[in-house]
Structures are given as structure tokens and as C-alpha cells.
């Protein structure tokens, strides 16, 4: 939907504003993680879930037509959710590795 995407020089982004935020958040966190090692703990796992909540609220309230979101809010919640998602995934892979003993 054009109204849910960003435009640059009259060209529409191939993904919505929320997904753009997700991808940007993922990339920013991965670059940050290269320079600053992170201790992946249970507390960080809980924080990652909390970081994904604003995205879920924004998406579901829009889906249920309770309100209409805008691209700046979509991008912001997507960015925060992307950081939460990559932390969640990194911890999940580490847990899977500890249980199974191999990386996928």
C-alpha cells in the first residue's frame, strides 16, 4: 500500500515503513554488536520481548481498525521491534545450540 511505505525521489520502498524499521533495527544492532559484545542473559531475553510489544500493539490496533498509524510511528515501532527480534533470535539460537549441540 503506497500510503504505508516511504518514498525516495518518487520511488516507493519495496517494503512498508514498519518493515523498513525492522530491517534498519536489525542492521543497526548487528553492527553495534560487532563493536560492543553483549552478554545474552535471561534478563536480556525478557527485555527483547518487551521491545517487541510496541510493534505488536501498533500493528494489532491498526489491524482491528481501532486507529490509523502513520509511517513515522510504524518505522519507530518497527525499529524497536527489530532490535528486540534480533536479540530474541540470537538468544534462541544459543539456547538451541546448548540443547542440541550444533548450530543450524
Amino acid at each position: 500500500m503506497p500510503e504505508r511505505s516511504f518514498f525516495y525521489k518518487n520511488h516507493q520502498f519495496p517494503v512498508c515503513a514498519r518493515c523498513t524499521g525492522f530491517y534498519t533495527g536489525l542492521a543497526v544492532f548487528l553492527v553495534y554488536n560487532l563493536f560492543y559484545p553483549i552478554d545474552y542473559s535471561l534478563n536480556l531475553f525478557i527485555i527483547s520481548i518487551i521491545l517487541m510489544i510496541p510493534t505488536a500493539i501498533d500493528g494489532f490496533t491498526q489491524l482491528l481498525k481501532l486507529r490509523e498509524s502513520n509511517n513515522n510511528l510504524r518505522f519507530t515501532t518497527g525499529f524497536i521491534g527489530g532490535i528486540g527480534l534480533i536479540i530474541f533470535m540470537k538468544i534462541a539460537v544459543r539456547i538451541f545450540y546448548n540443547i542440541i549441540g550444533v548450530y543450524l
Side-chain angles (χ1 to χ4, degrees):
M1 299 174 71
E3 63 274 5
R4 292 188 183 177
S5 297
F6 290 119
F7 284 81
Y8 180 72
K9 294 186 179 181
N10 292 326
H11 293 285
Q12 183 179 358
F13 277 33
V15 293
C16 70
R18 190 174 291 118
C19 292
T20 302
F22 258 104
Y23 297 140
T24 305
L26 290 167
V28 166
F29 182 80
L30 288 175
V31 170
Y32 174 84
N33 197 23
L34 286 174
F35 297 105
Y36 301 100
I38 295 172
D39 178 32
Y40 294 98
S41 63
L42 178 61
N43 289 338
L44 192 59
F45 185 75
I46 293 167
I47 290 170
S48 73
I49 293 170
I50 292 169
L51 287 173
M52 291 186 280
I53 291 172
T55 307
I57 292 170
D58 184 38
F60 281 119
T61 57
Q62 184 176 330
L63 177 69
L64 299 173
K65 299 187 187 323
L66 298 175
R67 61 178 191 78
E68 185 62 33
S69 188
N70 61 52
N71 284 347
N72 291 332
L73 182 60
R74 287 185 192 107
F75 179 83
T76 303
T77 58
F79 184 85
I80 294 167
I83 292 171
L85 180 64
I86 192 62
I87 293 169
F88 183 89
M89 292 303 296
K90 288 186 82 144
I91 292 172
V93 167
R94 288 171 188 258
I95 290 170
F96 187 77
Y97 175 74
N98 288 335
I99 293 171
I100 304 298
V102 293
Y103 279 113
L104 297 174

